Amino acid sequence: MNKITGSLINSFYICERKTWLYAHEIGPDNDHPFLELGRLNEETFYKRESKGFNVGNMKIDIVRKGSESILIGEVKKSSRYEKPAIMQLAFYLLKLKESGIKSEGEILIPKERKRIKVILTEEIETELKNTIREIEKIIQQDKPPPKERIKFCTNCAYREFCWS
């Protein structure tokens, strides 16, 4: 069984086909300009922060020590994918909670000078657990879900794969 990752959570809120492809290690076009911009964002901004922590099946962009908990940050290039980003970060908060670590989160969008505070509420935790079950169903399928044109297709790194 595949391990559920933050990237799978994020992709689920964008496109179930993308989730299946990613889970089956069918990678996107790594030279896609939006992926390159994302990598550049991570390297360019928040240089004085502790960055790039791998914890189990999580890759946390930024970690800060708070007075009573840790603050984890997820750097994004745009707020266009706000819900997927929030749920990805909430997944990290849930995994840390399950490990006994008290934490809070923040989505950081440097180009927009925007910060979105993320707290793991009971409602979000329930939604995440349902999402995880849905992702597990998707990735157990023999074939990816059928392609479906949605608003995110235009800038998707899997666009050539789906629509060629």
Side-chain angles (χ1 to χ4, degrees), residues 102-120:
K102 188 175 179 183
S103 58
E104 294 181 5
E106 196 171 51
I107 305 292
L108 305 165
I109 308 166
K111 293 281 187 183
E112 298 175 16
R113 298 182 188 268
K114 189 173 183 180
R115 293 173 179 260
I116 303 165
K117 191 164 183 78
V118 178
I119 296 172
L120 184 64

Side-chain angles (χ1 to χ4, degrees), residues 77-156:
K77 69 181 183 322
S78 159
S79 60
R80 181 171 185 218
Y81 303 94
E82 187 172 310
K83 172 76 174 193
I86 288 170
M87 296 309 288
Q88 177 181 1
L89 187 52
F91 172 76
Y92 297 154
L93 295 174
L94 175 63
K95 290 298 170 191
L96 290 171
K97 176 184 173 184
E98 289 171 350
S99 298
I101 300 169
K102 188 175 179 183
S103 58
E104 294 181 5
E106 196 171 51
I107 305 292
L108 305 165
I109 308 166
K111 293 281 187 183
E112 298 175 16
R113 298 182 188 268
K114 189 173 183 180
R115 293 173 179 260
I116 303 165
K117 191 164 183 78
V118 178
I119 296 172
L120 184 64
T121 63
E122 219 173 280
E123 181 182 357
I124 290 174
E125 192 170 333
T126 299
E127 182 178 345
L128 266 175
K129 288 177 180 176
N130 290 332
T131 297
I132 290 167
R133 281 192 291 277
E134 286 301 311
I135 291 171
E136 288 170 343
K137 286 181 197 172
I138 290 167
I139 63 180
Q140 287 175 4
Q141 296 173 6
D142 292 335
K143 296 186 225 175
K147 58 188 173 189
E148 176 184 338
R149 195 163 299 277
I150 58 173
K151 67 180 181 175
F152 298 114
C153 290
T154 306
N155 298 321
C156 180

Side-chain angles (χ1 to χ4, degrees), residues 31-61:
D31 295 329
H32 191 277
F34 285 101
L35 289 180
E36 289 180 13
L37 279 173
R39 286 189 288 267
L40 184 62
N41 247 359
E42 282 184 37
E43 293 169 11
T44 305
F45 296 98
Y46 311 105
K47 287 185 178 181
R48 290 177 282 190
E49 301 286 348
S50 298
K51 296 194 294 188
F53 290 90
N54 291 312
V55 181
N57 59 341
M58 301 182 293
K59 183 182 177 289
I60 299 172
D61 291 345

Side-chain angles (χ1 to χ4, degrees), residues 1-5 7-8 11 15-28 134-145 158 161:
M1 174 56 104
N2 292 307
K3 281 193 172 187
I4 303 298
T5 64
S7 295
L8 284 174
S11 69
C15 172
E16 291 181 10
R17 183 176 175 90
K18 177 180 179 176
T19 303
W20 189 94
L21 293 168
Y22 190 79
H24 287 86
E25 298 178 2
I26 299 171
E134 286 301 311
I135 291 171
E136 288 170 343
K137 286 181 197 172
I138 290 167
I139 63 180
Q140 287 175 4
Q141 296 173 6
D142 292 335
K143 296 186 225 175
Y158 284 103
F161 181 87

